Amino acid sequence: MNRNTRINALLLLAVAALAVLPLVLGLGDHKEEPFAGADAEAETAITEIEPDYEPWFSPLYEPPSGEIESALFALQAAVGAGVLAYYFGLRRGRRQGEERALAARQDPPAED
């Protein structure tokens, strides 16, 4: 097993552990919504500290349900991942093209 394969396997194992460990350890069992987002946690903490708190701004668009909000978030993540994949693929393709062009200049084809 080469070095890159070992690194990829360790990274995959780490990601799987991050996804599974909170479920296995029962983190969040004492809460009504165990895995609510950071926004909900912050709102709860603020209202406990200062019950009369009024937000400065209101959202531009409030989705009609939590499912639509989750779908929009997933769409945003997918578009971001696509943009990053395109960028890194483009960089790699350009680098490979430059390497091929350099190799072609150094090794001209043999004449018959």
Side-chain angles (χ1 to χ4, degrees):
M1 186 184 298
N2 68 16
R3 183 173 183 258
N4 287 338
T5 305
R6 272 184 279 165
I7 290 173
N8 288 340
L10 287 173
L11 288 174
L12 187 61
L13 183 65
V15 168
L18 285 173
V20 173
L21 280 177
L23 300 172
V24 171
L25 297 176
L27 300 177
D29 284 347
H30 62 283
K31 298 179 182 177
E32 186 177 321
E33 292 184 44
F35 298 105
D39 292 345
E41 293 288 328
E43 184 178 349
T44 303
I46 290 170
T47 54
E48 286 177 2
I49 295 170
E50 184 67 41
D52 298 330
Y53 175 76
E54 293 274 336
W56 292 359
F57 301 101
S58 61
L60 295 175
Y61 171 69
E62 184 106 16
S65 70
E67 290 83 12
I68 293 174
E69 185 176 358
S70 294
L72 290 173
F73 182 75
L75 178 65
Q76 177 185 0
V79 168
V83 168
L84 283 174
Y86 175 78
Y87 172 74
F88 286 118
L90 186 68
R91 281 191 44 183
R92 181 175 179 165
R94 284 184 179 171
R95 186 179 66 238
Q96 287 177 347
E98 289 172 359
E99 289 171 358
R100 287 181 188 145
L102 182 62
R105 277 190 231 124
Q106 290 177 353
D107 297 328
E111 293 183 26
D112 290 329

